[in-house]
């Protein structure tokens, strides 16, 4: 029956051999494609394992008023230092300036920063500011306040270091 089809199509023995050769070649190309996909998956898996598992780090200022935490892929410490006598040019500042940094200048993601505010301040009027080194100005961060704990908090994505201060929103 196969020969009848070949004869009806007008093919010779050479044509049948060529078709057989191409069928084998497609199998070879398929094998190469499968091998390429397996190699890509293997390399991607190795990069994932070499990258490391995210580790949670936490830092607290020496005065205990600022706390930050988040995830980093390198073994680093989160340091929060109070910096006194900093001119902010923001009116109605209610806290000292703090520098939040990673010891090796790495990246912190999925983080949160919380600042405790002294009694007597109206939390609903306060926001956290950070210093933008590109524009050389203080910018407002999206800030949540917790009246029960007297705290201000904001989400934190950190590369290197940042300056933080609390003040009334201008």
């Amino acid at each position: 029956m196969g020969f009848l089809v070949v004869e009806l199509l007008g093919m010779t023995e050479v044509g049948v051999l060529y078709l057989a050769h191409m069928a084998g070649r497609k199998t070879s190309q398929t094998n190469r494609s499968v091998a390429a996909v397996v190699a890509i998956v293997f390399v991607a898996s190795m990069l994932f394992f070499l990258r490391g598992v995210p580790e949670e780090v936490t830092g607290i200022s020496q005065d205990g008023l600022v706390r930050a935490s988040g995830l980093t892929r390198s073994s680093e410490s989160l340091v929060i230092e109070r910096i006194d006598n900093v001119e902010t040019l923001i009116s109605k500042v209610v806290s000292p300036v703090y520098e939040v940094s990673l010891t090796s200048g790495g990246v912190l993601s999925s983080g949160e920063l919380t600042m405790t505010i002294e009694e007597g301040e109206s939390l609903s009027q306060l926001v956290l500011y950070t210093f933008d080194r590109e524009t050389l100005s203080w910018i407002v961060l999206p800030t949540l306040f917790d009246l029960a704990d007297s705290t201000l908090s904001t989400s934190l994505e950190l590369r290197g270091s940042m300056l933080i201060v609390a003040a009334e929103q201008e």
Side-chain angles (χ1 to χ4, degrees):
M1 187 110 178
F3 288 108
L4 288 175
V5 172
V6 170
E7 283 183 36
L8 289 174
L9 292 175
M11 292 189 151
T12 62
E13 242 176 72
V14 175
V16 172
L17 291 174
Y18 177 75
L19 285 177
H21 170 71
M22 290 305 288
R25 190 171 183 179
K26 282 187 179 184
T27 302
S28 175
Q29 287 175 343
T30 302
N31 288 344
R32 277 190 240 138
S33 297
V34 169
V37 169
V38 169
I40 290 169
V41 169
F42 178 74
V43 169
S45 298
M46 292 306 296
L47 290 175
F48 178 75
F49 288 116
L50 292 175
R51 187 172 175 200
V53 176
E55 177 182 329
E56 184 167 3
V57 293
T58 300
I60 301 173
S61 62
Q62 284 186 333
D63 58 11
L65 296 178
V66 179
R67 175 186 175 92
S69 63
L71 300 175
T72 183
R73 292 200 177 272
S74 54
S75 297
E76 300 187 53
S77 297
L78 187 58
V79 178
I80 303 172
E81 294 179 305
R82 179 179 172 158
I83 304 173
D84 292 319
N85 302 321
V86 174
E87 185 64 40
T88 63
L89 300 177
I90 301 171
S91 60
K92 300 183 183 176
V93 172
V94 298
S95 77
V97 174
Y98 291 88
E99 181 178 28
V100 181
S101 61
L102 290 167
T103 54
S104 299
V107 176
L108 184 80
S109 61
S110 303
E112 181 179 49
L113 181 127
T114 303
M115 181 182 289
T116 302
I117 302 299
E118 295 180 14
E119 298 282 331
E121 298 294 337
S122 175
L123 287 177
S124 62
Q125 302 299 315
L126 300 179
V127 292
L128 293 171
Y129 286 84
T130 187
F131 187 72
D132 185 336
R133 290 181 172 112
E134 290 180 15
T135 63
L136 301 178
S137 63
W138 291 91
I139 58 172
V140 175
L141 293 172
T143 306
L144 299 173
F145 60 90
D146 184 342
L147 293 174
D149 293 335
S150 295
T151 59
L152 299 173
S153 62
T154 188
S155 61
L156 182 63
E157 301 293 324
L158 177 65
R159 179 176 300 276
S161 69
M162 69 187 303
L163 299 175
I164 291 283
V165 70
E168 285 188 22
Q169 186 166 6
E170 296 182 332

